[in-house]
Amino acid sequence: MVKDLDINKIVKQHIEMEQFFTGFFLKCRSDTLETQNQEATMAVTEKTTELEKIAGEVHECRKCELGSLRTNTVPGEGNPNARIMFIGEAPGADEDAQGQPFVGRAGQLLDKIIGACGLKRSDVFICNILKCRPPDNRDPRAEEIISCLPYLQRQIEIIDPEIIVALGAHAARTLLNTTKPIGQLRGQFHEYYAGIGRPPVKLMATYHTAYLLRNYSPENRRRVWEDMKKVLAELGLPVPK
Ligand code: URA
């Protein structure tokens, strides 16, 4: 006697075979893929528009004195759908001159780190806590951070990255609302509070590339590489050999 269970199994197999040969599954799958792609494309377009809107607001911004001292604003750039956002402190002289983040020596080292991770600059999003250069590269002031932070918070909300890499003490402390030293913060995942009703974003703190250039010891380089390997592991990405 054929058991109920077997009948169910046979019927299911039969339906699956019918569906397979009539192309039902294939049609279904490609419909789903097309829809997904359309949604993804729309999302990227919308994200790009929103990010451009923020860049426009930053361009007009005069909320702090840096607005009258800058040559160019540096809102940030990269993939609107990035899985990783690198966040530094503030633009330096090269960035101020070109209007792009991390294009000086510290930026070239960041490019190397991104490359060592098997990624391209265009895969990630790169920006700073401050969108304008503080004179003589002095540290950001509290009132400047308070004025500028909403732009970054909105960028994070739009991009919705899986991981934020905070480069250096200023970025890590600001985003984690702490005064702990970077030596204590780096090397482990923290949570960036992304707002009410939103899941927190994993944040890896590591040394700033400018610090690394000034203290280019094998030990410091190893530490940054260890931090980045944790990021890759968390994203399920292979560590390039
Ligand atoms: N240092 C930063 O923190 N940001 C830049 O864009 C360049 C150097």
Side-chain angles (χ1 to χ4, degrees), residues 148-160:
C148 217
L149 199 55
Y151 297 124
L152 177 61
Q153 286 166 334
R154 281 166 60 201
Q155 287 175 316
I156 297 172
E157 200 174 310
I158 291 161
I159 295 161
D160 193 17

Side-chain angles (χ1 to χ4, degrees), residues 104-165:
R105 280 188 69 226
Q108 284 155 19
L109 182 54
L110 180 60
D111 287 348
K112 275 193 195 168
I113 293 170
I114 292 169
C117 291
L119 300 169
K120 297 187 297 291
R121 207 174 146 104
S122 56
D123 291 323
V124 303
F125 195 92
I126 305 174
C127 60
N128 286 296
I129 298 285
L130 294 190
K131 309 302 187 192
C132 298
R133 181 192 182 203
D136 303 319
N137 298 346
R138 64 156 170 74
D139 284 351
R141 291 184 179 146
E143 66 272 19
E144 293 161 355
I145 293 177
I146 291 166
S147 301
C148 217
L149 199 55
Y151 297 124
L152 177 61
Q153 286 166 334
R154 281 166 60 201
Q155 287 175 316
I156 297 172
E157 200 174 310
I158 291 161
I159 295 161
D160 193 17
E162 283 165 67
I163 294 188
I164 291 171
V165 178

Side-chain angles (χ1 to χ4, degrees), residues 50-100:
E50 288 303 308
L51 291 170
E52 279 170 1
K53 198 170 146 211
I54 295 173
E57 288 173 35
V58 168
H59 190 70
E60 300 300 319
C61 183
R62 296 283 185 278
K63 285 197 267 177
C64 75
E65 67 158 10
L66 301 184
S68 57
L69 300 174
R70 70 191 177 213
T71 311
N72 284 298
T73 51
V74 186
E77 65 183 16
N79 189 333
N81 253 347
R83 299 180 73 192
I84 312 178
M85 258 180 106
F86 287 91
I87 303 179
E89 178 182 324
D94 294 305
E95 290 77 21
D96 178 62
Q98 297 180 44
Q100 289 175 277

